Amino acid sequence: MTKGLKLLVFVLVVSLGIAPAGVIAQQSDDDDTPLSRLWDQVHAQPNDFGVACMPVDDPSGMVLYNETEVFPLASVSKLLVLLEYARRVDDGTLTLSEMVPLDDLNRYDVPATNSGAHDRFLEEYPTDITSISLWAIAAKGMVQYSSNAAADYMLARLQPMDWGSLYDSLGLTNTGYPMYFGVIAMLMGNHETGQVTLADVPSLSVEQAETDFDLYLTDDSWRAAEITYHSARQQVPSDWEAQALILQKYTVTGTPQDWLKIMEAIYGANSPLSDRVKQLARSALRWDNNEYIDGMYAEYGSKLGFYSGGTLTLVAYGQPLYGRPVISATFFRNLPRPIYRQMRQDDSIGELAHWMNFNVCTGLVEAINQSY
């Protein structure tokens, strides 16, 4: 390593509040960093945090906390849709190059429910395009930009779906099947029901939300009324506690332990997935052409999930330039609204993934215990 590169890596590591491989990063009590604020929240809500971390080359170094607790997955569940699509490509029933009319994709977009992710995805392309490849929808739209419309289109494209075969191969025991994000939006409220309150939650029905989402896709007048409702709803604060309960009670959940298995299947040597499926998944998850990441990693891949109501999730893989590969799964739920917003702004959950990568999971138990 040249002196210049050593300095670059050191500066980047220090800016993240993490230590080089094998060294435990110490933080003083008066530190005010994204990572120290994350540990403060672990202290405040120890039952609403779960993590699993493992050096890929040494499973005995695995660290688990609340690993069998089920957490709302939010957009992390899109990785399961990607894996099934990759398996279909591998067996020849779907292709990477199939072109999808843009109008068909956009039909699944529910305005003001995805933090503008779908619009940012489409801004990658000329305004006059009329179709887009299935691979671009899955990898760039669904995984990298986290477009809910892309995820829902892909989920529909995979029907009929037998999730059991994928779950059995991965050894998943406590993860639900992916659901349409449009259904989640309908659970949170629509133009017929209005905004859901905490008192409404016990009477909600996923089946009714599925019916409503189907109306959104197929009934132009219902769709127009719903678009108007969501446009106006941007100005009205949501019932945060109601949304948190909906996410835990009605949406797809999973455990840190299960999601470590998924990451191990993608990045580990002894995998139930074919080499091509692994390659496609790693390609979709990989951060490319990012100066910040490229200065630290030979390869870094991740999938972030978040949803109003206080869910924040991340699965990550990191192969530091001069370190060992690490996989991790981190889950938060029921975060208070201001804390959720601050943690998203700080990317504190991403900072924790980097810390785990450069410390090869060492010191994680001590860091959690020090939060109490």
Side-chain angles (χ1 to χ4, degrees):
M1 190 192 316
T2 67
K3 182 177 179 181
L5 184 54
K6 284 182 180 178
L7 179 59
L8 173 62
V9 173
F10 175 77
V11 169
L12 287 167
V13 165
V14 169
S15 73
L16 282 167
I18 57 183
V23 180
I24 303 172
Q26 300 294 329
Q27 297 197 17
S28 63
D29 293 338
D30 60 354
D31 274 349
D32 185 24
T33 68
L35 196 52
S36 66
R37 290 193 290 272
L38 178 145
W39 292 126
D40 288 343
Q41 206 55 37
V42 172
H43 172 82
Q45 297 179 253
N47 295 327
D48 291 322
F49 169 72
V51 66
C53 181
M54 189 184 86
V56 176
D57 59 359
D58 181 18
S60 68
M62 182 189 310
V63 177
L64 304 171
Y65 175 78
N66 281 342
E67 70 276 10
T68 59
E69 184 71 22
V70 292
F71 293 83
L73 296 178
S75 289
V76 165
S77 65
K78 293 169 183 174
L79 182 50
L80 291 166
V81 179
L82 176 74
L83 287 176
E84 182 56 28
Y85 168 54
R87 295 207 314 164
R88 302 281 186 95
V89 171
D90 193 38
D91 69 18
T93 56
L94 287 175
T95 69
L96 302 177
S97 59
E98 174 188 334
M99 298 303 292
V100 175
L102 197 56
D103 287 346
D104 291 354
L105 171 63
N106 287 337
R107 196 74 182 171
Y108 288 85
D109 183 35
V110 182
T113 63
N114 194 202
S115 301
H118 186 62
D119 292 336
R120 288 193 297 274
F121 163 49
L122 295 183
E123 286 171 2
E124 286 269 327
Y125 301 91
T127 56
D128 59 349
I129 67 164
T130 58
S131 62
I132 193 167
S133 75
L134 199 58
W135 172 246
I137 293 172
K140 188 179 288 291
M142 179 175 66
V143 176
Q144 296 173 14
Y145 279 90
S146 208
S147 160
N148 288 348
D152 285 355
Y153 178 85
M154 291 302 303
L155 189 55
R157 187 69 180 81
L158 292 172
Q159 299 303 319
M161 182 65 235
D162 174 18
W163 288 108
S165 62
L166 176 62
Y167 280 45
D168 288 346
S169 69
L170 295 172
L172 307 184
T173 57
N174 289 293
T175 293
Y177 297 156
M179 67 187 298
Y180 291 97
F181 284 87
V183 171
I184 300 176
M186 300 303 147
L187 282 168
M188 298 292 186
N190 59 58
H191 72 276
E192 291 186 337
T193 64
Q195 184 171 282
V196 171
T197 67
L198 194 59
D200 299 324
V201 174
S203 62
L204 293 179
S205 162
V206 172
E207 291 75 19
Q208 182 59 53
E210 290 172 341
T211 298
D212 292 340
F213 187 48
D214 187 60
L215 284 171
Y216 181 78
L217 295 175
T218 61
D219 186 315
D220 287 343
S221 61
W222 204 96
R223 178 186 182 87
E226 188 67 7
I227 289 173
T228 299
Y229 165 77
H230 280 286
S231 298
R233 188 180 173 188
Q234 286 182 292
Q235 312 305 318
V236 181
S238 60
D239 187 326
W240 196 257
E241 290 184 359
Q243 291 182 329
L245 186 56
I246 288 169
L247 291 172
Q248 185 69 39
K249 185 174 181 179
Y250 294 108
T251 73
V252 58
T253 58
T255 65
Q257 189 174 65
D258 267 0
W259 281 81
L260 199 67
K261 293 178 184 177
I262 294 169
M263 297 301 286
E264 187 176 13
I266 295 171
Y267 292 98
N270 299 316
S271 172
L273 303 174
S274 73
D275 287 344
R276 191 179 192 200
V277 170
K278 291 172 62 177
Q279 183 272 324
L280 290 172
R282 290 176 75 146
S283 176
L285 291 166
R286 184 181 297 117
W287 287 50
D288 286 323
N289 302 315
N290 183 291
E291 184 177 358
Y292 184 66
I293 294 297
D294 292 345
M296 296 186 293
Y297 289 102
E299 181 180 353
Y300 180 79
S302 69
K303 183 71 195 85
L304 175 69
F306 56 85
Y307 214 106
S308 57
T311 286
L312 189 59
T313 62
L314 182 74
V315 293
Y317 165 85
Q319 168 65 75
L321 286 172
Y322 300 94
R324 295 161 57 196
V326 172
I327 52 175
S328 62
T330 308
F331 297 86
F332 279 98
R333 66 185 174 199
N334 302 328
L335 291 169
R337 194 193 305 257
I339 299 296
Y340 165 83
R341 289 176 172 171
Q342 187 64 54
M343 289 179 69
R344 275 190 57 193
Q345 178 179 317
D346 291 344
D347 188 29
S348 59
I349 200 168
E351 298 283 321
L352 177 59
H354 294 308
W355 186 91
M356 290 188 288
N357 291 340
F358 277 84
N359 285 281
V360 201
C361 308
T362 302
L364 182 56
V365 172
E366 291 81 358
I368 294 170
N369 290 338
Q370 287 171 7
S371 299
Y372 298 115

